[in-house]
Amino acid sequence: SVREGGQLFTWGQNTHGQLGVGSQSTLIPQPQLVERLQGISLAQIAAGGAHSAAVSLSGAVYSWGKNDFGQLGLRDTRDRDCPSYIGALEHWKTVFISCGADHTAVLSKEGLVCTFGAGGAGQLGHNSTRNELTPRVVAELWGARVSQVACGRWEIYVPSLDKVYLFGSDEEGQLGHERTPTQLIPLPINSPVNTGESCQGKDYCRCTCNLINTFTHFIQNSYLNGIATLKDEDVDTWISNFGLQHWESIKKNIRLIFSSEACINGSFL
């Protein structure tokens, strides 16, 4: 939980130091201040299976917790009980980060995606099942104009402005129909919204459909290449066109630009 002043407090299970408070206790029932991030203005925090990450307003990325597959992006497999700066992402201009069970995905302001950590189910999208200890760009998504990323347990969902890409494990059908058990590279899928198909059965299927529907709404209402960010010319246009005649259009643009954490972070990075 991030307080209004920017201080991060964590509590709960701490078996691998995923709370970032420097304690060896396996359970911390009361909120504790993450002192290592004191004075750093945070834009976003994310939690995985037993690891955590945070993005600052300047685009710096910090990670801590379980690291047996390299999911912290720190070039090794040693757990951390305090936030550590990911130097490999120094010039990345990160606007959003997502954590899976044992893997991590990062989105840059330019719409590039890099992944690291466990790759045994192909969830890193590098056409292999190898683990990655260092952030690595997903080459198959070059030019895809990615606008968001979301890690599942063993898979990653990546919406661009005209498609939704999925990759990773499909043992329970979470990647859609006619998929191999392990999808090693990002491939676009058909949203149930577009195909008219229903998504029934287990909770993971319903959650996947809800996620895809949300992404599809974002895609269909987007008018920019890559991440929708606030620009000076947008504000000037809104001010000059302010009035009842243009109000609905202005509201639509504002909703789009502030439609996700990635858009907000990118606007002020």
Side-chain angles (χ1 to χ4, degrees), residues 69 87 119 126 129 136 154 177-178 180 194 215 223 229 231 259 267:
F69 294 101
H126 301 308
T129 56
R136 179 180 173 186
W154 297 306
H177 300 300
E178 300 179 358
T180 60
N194 297 328
F215 287 162
Y223 66 99
T229 56
K231 299 180 176 62
S259 60
S267 295

Side-chain angles (χ1 to χ4, degrees), residues 171-219:
E171 291 183 355
E172 296 183 320
Q174 61 266 46
L175 299 190
H177 300 300
E178 300 179 358
R179 295 274 164 171
T180 60
T182 300
Q183 181 63 54
L184 301 181
I185 61 173
L187 289 179
I189 67 164
N190 289 321
S191 165
V193 172
N194 297 328
T195 63
E197 297 176 359
S198 62
C199 190
Q200 302 174 351
K202 299 181 180 179
D203 289 340
Y204 68 77
C205 187
R206 286 193 290 269
C207 289
T208 299
C209 286
N210 289 337
L211 187 62
I212 293 172
N213 290 347
T214 300
F215 287 162
T216 302
H217 173 78
F218 181 88
I219 291 167

Side-chain angles (χ1 to χ4, degrees), residues 99-114:
C99 299
D102 297 299
H103 64 294
T104 308
V106 179
L107 175 64
S108 77
K109 186 174 182 178
E110 288 74 24
L112 300 177
V113 177
C114 72

